[in-house]
Amino acid sequence: MRQTIHRSLLIGAAAASLLAGCAGTSGGKPKMSFFVTSANPGKGGDLGGLDGADKHCQKLAAAAGAGHRTWHAYLSKQPLKGEAGINARDRIGKGPWTNAKGDLIAIHVADLHSAGNQLNKLTALTETGATINGRGDTPNQHDVLTGSQPDGTFIAGDVNSTCSNWTVGDDSGQAMVGHHDRTGLDDSVPAKSWNSSHLSRGCSPAALQATGGAGLFYCFAVD
């Protein structure tokens, strides 16, 4: 009788151990679904349009082992030259989104564009999990290209806030940028905005650097 009970306990313990091991495997770190590009493609605000920006996201994701997912750049497109505008918020899927270390950024689109999102210098990581220089670092690279308003929509009107829809790499245009570290010269709301802080000085690599950035942008997995 004792042997039977002892044997049952051993079998139960082994089963529990096996289940725990399976849970650990399937319940590990969430797959990366958000990152900030580790580098600009090389032409400042000229990203080759939205398609070129998406391809850059896909290329970086693939190099980091996440190329099986579909990636889009968080960039808006203005209604210029007869073309319809496109909102950055409508390009990024439904969420939730996690960074390369498994930290939750936002649950859904509304959460991402609320004050409660978890995007900051410690979580806005590159595809390799590296942090990006912010205000106070040398060089400061906290400006991130978005071309968007705080709610993630495009900016209407005569102002060129998207480097001519991401096709211009000189200083004939400007780009709306956000601060990935959510800090700025003051405590105003724009200074702390991750996606809509101020316009850049221009669209050339030099102008973007002088403003406080490196021509980086956000990438989100849409599936």
Side-chain angles (χ1 to χ4, degrees):
M1 181 72 173
R2 289 182 178 178
Q3 288 181 341
T4 301
I5 294 174
H6 182 64
R7 183 180 179 185
S8 297
L9 290 173
L10 288 176
I11 293 174
S17 177
L18 178 61
L19 288 174
C22 291
T25 301
S26 61
K29 183 177 69 175
K31 296 179 180 179
M32 179 178 69
S33 51
F34 160 86
F35 64 87
V36 183
T37 58
S38 58
N40 177 271
K43 297 181 180 180
D46 181 0
L47 307 175
L50 291 181
D51 288 344
D54 291 346
K55 289 178 181 178
H56 189 59
C57 287
Q58 199 72 43
K59 176 182 177 181
L60 295 179
H68 61 289
R69 311 194 73 169
T70 300
W71 293 85
H72 282 180
Y74 182 92
L75 296 169
S76 289
K77 178 180 177 181
Q78 292 180 282
L80 300 175
K81 299 179 181 179
E83 296 181 352
I86 297 175
N87 301 320
R89 64 179 293 142
D90 297 334
R91 311 189 71 247
I92 58 174
K94 297 180 178 179
W97 299 285
T98 55
N99 66 14
K101 293 186 177 180
D103 301 317
L104 180 68
I105 299 300
I107 299 173
H108 43 59
V109 174
D111 184 36
L112 178 66
H113 293 90
S114 75
N117 73 59
Q118 301 302 307
L119 198 155
N120 54 58
K121 183 180 179 181
L122 297 179
T123 61
L125 307 177
T126 70
E127 71 279 0
T128 65
T131 57
I132 299 168
N133 283 1
R135 182 169 173 75
D137 298 325
T138 302
N140 177 17
Q141 297 179 325
H142 72 171
D143 285 357
V144 180
L145 303 174
T146 69
S148 304
Q149 300 185 86
D151 64 354
T153 58
F154 65 77
I155 301 170
D158 295 332
V159 61
N160 183 350
S161 58
T162 60
C163 294
S164 297
N165 286 336
W166 317 111
T167 62
V168 168
D170 57 27
D171 295 333
S172 62
Q174 294 175 292
M176 179 58 73
V177 301
H179 292 164
H180 86 288
D181 57 0
R182 299 173 86 162
T183 64
L185 292 172
D186 52 52
D187 291 328
S188 67
V189 174
K192 295 182 178 181
S193 175
W194 67 275
N195 70 337
S196 192
S197 289
H198 59 81
L199 289 169
S200 65
R201 296 183 185 180
C203 296
S204 67
L208 295 176
Q209 292 167 11
T211 308
L216 309 181
F217 48 95
Y218 301 111
C219 298
F220 289 80
V222 301
D223 58 9

